[in-house]
Amino acid sequence: QVQLVESGGGLVQAGGSLRLSCAAAGRTISSYLMGWFRQAPGKERESVCAISWSGSRSLYADSVKGRFTISRDNAKNTVYLQMNSLKPEDTAVYYCAASKASGIAAHAGWYDYWGQGTQVTVSS
């Protein structure tokens, strides 16, 4: 079992940046597909981005492409989400997730382990 703990959320003004971290415990994440999801008030949980186990492939939702960057450091058992040029519509609870599936995928059903979430609030 993998335990995931997100951190780095907070309140930031529009145009600002945040870096989220997802620290894994229990097992190494080197063989896991990792992803970030978010859920805004009144909206469904959506995929933000994902990164393959090797870090060689990544994908992004159109809404964040060019602004967000996912990365992983398997040696530190940590996944990051660099969030730049934040917009008020980025406000959401952000969740880190791990999948045992091979390749790369954005569908939440592919993910086996989830963090508790960290709140990101972007003010106008």
Side-chain angles (χ1 to χ4, degrees):
Q1 187 174 11
V2 177
Q3 294 83 47
L4 304 174
V5 180
E6 304 95 333
S7 62
L11 175 64
V12 65
Q13 292 184 338
S17 298
L18 285 173
R19 190 190 194 197
L20 305 184
S21 296
C22 173
R27 298 181 184 272
T28 62
I29 62 169
S30 60
S31 62
Y32 289 84
L33 165 69
M34 302 297 296
W36 288 94
F37 294 77
R38 68 185 182 186
Q39 187 165 22
K43 296 186 177 181
E44 297 180 344
R45 185 172 298 186
E46 64 176 350
S47 174
V48 176
C49 54
I51 188 168
S52 64
W53 65 268
S54 66
S56 63
R57 298 177 62 198
S58 61
L59 60 84
Y60 298 88
D62 288 341
S63 60
V64 306
K65 192 171 185 178
R67 299 187 297 118
F68 291 9
T69 303
I70 187 171
S71 62
R72 65 191 298 163
D73 187 337
N74 290 339
K76 295 182 178 180
N77 232 27
T78 302
V79 177
Y80 305 96
L81 179 62
Q82 179 65 47
M83 310 165 68
N84 298 326
S85 301
L86 283 162
K87 304 175 181 179
E89 52 262 44
D90 295 319
T91 295
V93 176
Y94 283 71
Y95 298 90
C96 176
S99 173
K100 294 181 287 187
S102 61
I104 189 166
H107 196 281
W110 288 46
Y111 289 80
D112 303 290
Y113 307 105
W114 295 82
Q116 84 288 351
T118 185
Q119 177 70 48
V120 172
T121 302
V122 184
S123 63
S124 301

